[in-house]
Amino acid sequence: MATQRLAQRLHGIAPTIFSEMSALAVRTQSVNLGQGFPDVDGPPEVIARAVQALEGGHNQYAPGVGVPALRHAVARHQQRHYGIELDPDSEVVVTTGATEGIAAALLGLVDPGDEIVVLEPYYDSYVAMIQMAGGVRRPVTLRAPDFRLDVDELRAAVTDRTRYVLLNSPHNPTGTVLTRAELQAVADVAVERDLVVITDEVYEHLVYDVEHVPISTLPGMAERTLTLSSAGKSYSFTGWKVGWATGPRELVQAVLAAKQWLTFTSGSPLQPAVAHALDDEPDYPARLAAELRERRDLLCAGLAKVGLEVRVPEGTYFATTDVGGLGWPDGMAFCLALPERAGVVAIPSQVFHDDADAGRHLVRWAFCKQPEIIEEGLRRLAAAQLHA
Ligand code: PMP
Ligand code: GLN
């Protein structure tokens, strides 16, 4: 009985779809267009800095809040890109990837029963962490085919128990980048209802022909916004797990309070290397975005060619298709059949939804891969029987 109960309880936090699909790709020797990670590492100079730090004695605990060099570099980054002024000693905390930022923010801020308005489809860790914090999610769905924010739905999701909005822009999995007007609508609701906004901006630099606006730069928002980001996406070091949370002292303190019981501190030798990346390789993310834009176009054109209705994303690593047109009852069935039929792995977006109807036919494809890999994936799709 106890083990049955446990199995049920673990269901929500079982192996993530990303781990499962990457394992499936390895097992079936498929082209992995599922889990989002680049197949080329970030700048070699940054790796050299990490090696120097490893060999130079940066191998014991870093301060819990993060090494000063990185906190100062994060503050300079926010200043340089967005004009945001931060005190590196009290308004910046280093986290073990944005994943820990999300966890520490929710565990540090949410009381049991607090409601959190969150964009659906959700990045998967939001659901697990809201659950672990005892919070209640109040979804606002970005619906196909455009995946735009419905402001009326947002307003309707807020109740007297709502304390937080958990935002993600550029948005995983849809690739939507919220416009200034959409963000202003969120800000208006936040100010009116006195909500704190937690915003996950890990794809802040990976936008294509649109502007990324940090919501903390809108009037009245700096004092109620906690911003999360990381070096993983901007510098193609997803395996380094170096992130940061920035914002008002009270919010940063809440993150730090939870972080000290999660990891205590983050990896010492990688922090000075990421500081170097932010300070001395400021143009790398824009170059990466230019490359990714071409890969997005390559993937989207190829997916359209094989008969998939594709939504061209304004940001992130991901494009979304509707597999209903190929006769599939749902995207999960399509993704489970795909390795055998085509030797390709993709992610069924229905796992990021509570609203089964909204997500049923949607499949996410990653384009953060070398062009040859994307082309090989497309060749395989073109040669396969993709109709149900
Ligand atoms: N948020 C979103 C929306 C993501 O896509 C990711 C990357 N998987 C993360 C957070 C986690 O970032 P990190 O790898 O820095 O923990
Ligand atoms: N962010 C990556 C994605 O969405 C995966 C990260 C993870 O595996 N948790 O594909």
Side-chain angles (χ1 to χ4, degrees):
M1 288 311 117
T3 51
Q4 256 174 13
R5 271 201 309 276
L6 192 58
Q8 241 175 22
R9 170 161 164 58
L10 286 178
H11 182 70
I13 49 175
T16 76
I17 189 77
F18 305 122
S19 324
E20 285 202 2
M21 294 312 258
S22 281
L24 180 63
V26 170
R27 245 185 357 261
T28 57
Q29 299 185 326
S30 290
V31 173
N32 189 356
L33 303 181
Q35 189 179 27
F37 59 91
D39 50 4
V40 174
D41 288 341
E45 302 73 22
V46 177
I47 296 176
R49 286 299 172 119
V51 172
Q52 269 175 28
L54 279 163
E55 291 179 345
H58 291 266
N59 297 300
Q60 308 309 327
Y61 294 129
V65 68
V67 304
L70 180 52
R71 285 185 281 111
H72 283 256
V74 167
R76 281 191 289 270
H77 171 274
Q78 295 302 90
Q79 214 297 322
R80 186 184 321 121
H81 288 281
Y82 311 120
I84 297 170
E85 300 288 347
L86 294 166
D87 171 10
D89 293 325
S90 62
E91 296 176 326
V92 181
V93 54
V94 173
T95 58
T96 303
T99 305
E100 190 192 37
I102 294 160
L106 291 168
L107 293 172
L109 290 168
V110 171
D111 285 323
D114 284 353
E115 290 183 359
I116 299 113
V117 168
V118 51
L119 299 181
E120 180 189 38
Y122 321 107
Y123 180 59
D124 62 349
S125 84
Y126 303 163
V127 174
M129 292 316 307
I130 289 172
Q131 202 173 314
M132 286 191 211
V136 177
R137 61 181 181 272
R138 299 277 299 168
V140 175
T141 309
L142 306 179
R143 290 178 201 283
D146 296 333
F147 303 114
R148 300 310 323 174
L149 178 70
D150 180 331
V151 176
D152 293 334
E153 214 181 304
L154 168 73
R155 287 191 173 273
V158 178
T159 77
D160 290 345
R161 288 180 301 279
T162 307
R163 299 278 175 275
Y164 302 99
V165 179
L166 175 50
L167 213 58
N168 172 216
S169 179
H171 181 258
N172 179 7
T174 64
T176 290
V177 179
L178 295 178
T179 62
R180 191 177 280 277
E182 286 168 324
L183 292 164
Q184 187 60 58
V186 177
D188 290 345
V189 173
V191 170
E192 255 168 56
R193 305 298 296 261
D194 195 20
L195 309 177
V196 164
V197 174
I198 303 166
T199 174
D200 175 347
E201 301 184 2
V202 296
Y203 297 99
E204 60 187 312
H205 294 298
L206 305 186
V207 292
Y208 317 117
D209 311 320
V210 297
E211 179 194 19
H212 166 68
V213 180
I215 192 166
S216 75
T217 60
L218 298 185
M221 290 310 291
E223 60 263 38
R224 59 175 70 247
T225 303
L226 180 72
T227 303
L228 309 175
S229 194
S230 103
K233 312 296 189 291
S234 300
Y235 285 90
S236 296
F237 288 123
T238 61
W240 281 23
K241 305 298 288 185
V242 176
W244 45 87
T246 56
R249 172 189 301 261
E250 297 75 13
L251 297 179
V252 165
Q253 280 304 313
V255 171
L256 189 57
K259 183 210 159 75
Q260 67 185 335
W261 306 119
L262 290 169
T263 55
F264 182 51
T265 100
S266 303
S268 337
L270 298 180
Q271 293 188 45
V274 172
H276 173 78
L278 294 176
D279 280 337
D280 297 314
E281 301 275 350
D283 302 330
Y284 179 86
R287 289 201 301 277
L288 176 63
E291 271 178 29
L292 283 169
R293 184 181 181 283
E294 285 179 17
R295 290 161 200 206
R296 172 199 69 170
D297 292 344
L298 175 66
L299 178 72
C300 289
L303 292 174
K305 228 174 175 172
V306 299
L308 286 161
E309 192 188 311
V310 59
R311 194 269 184 155
V312 179
E314 306 112 53
T316 76
Y317 285 163
F318 311 110
T320 296
T321 57
D322 185 330
V323 297
L326 291 180
W328 287 89
D330 74 80
M332 179 65 90
F334 175 87
C335 288
L336 290 176
L338 200 58
E340 199 176 309
R341 288 200 180 199
V344 175
V345 157
I347 300 282
S349 299
Q350 62 179 247
V351 301
F352 309 128
H353 289 80
D354 285 321
D355 180 346
D357 288 337
R360 181 167 294 130
H361 293 112
L362 303 179
V363 170
R364 191 195 82 173
W365 309 78
F367 53 82
C368 48
K369 306 291 173 185
Q370 295 177 82
E372 311 81 88
I373 302 295
I374 296 173
E375 277 160 6
E376 174 59 19
L378 291 171
R379 256 195 303 279
R380 292 182 183 199
L381 290 173
Q385 166 57 266
L386 291 183
H387 282 268

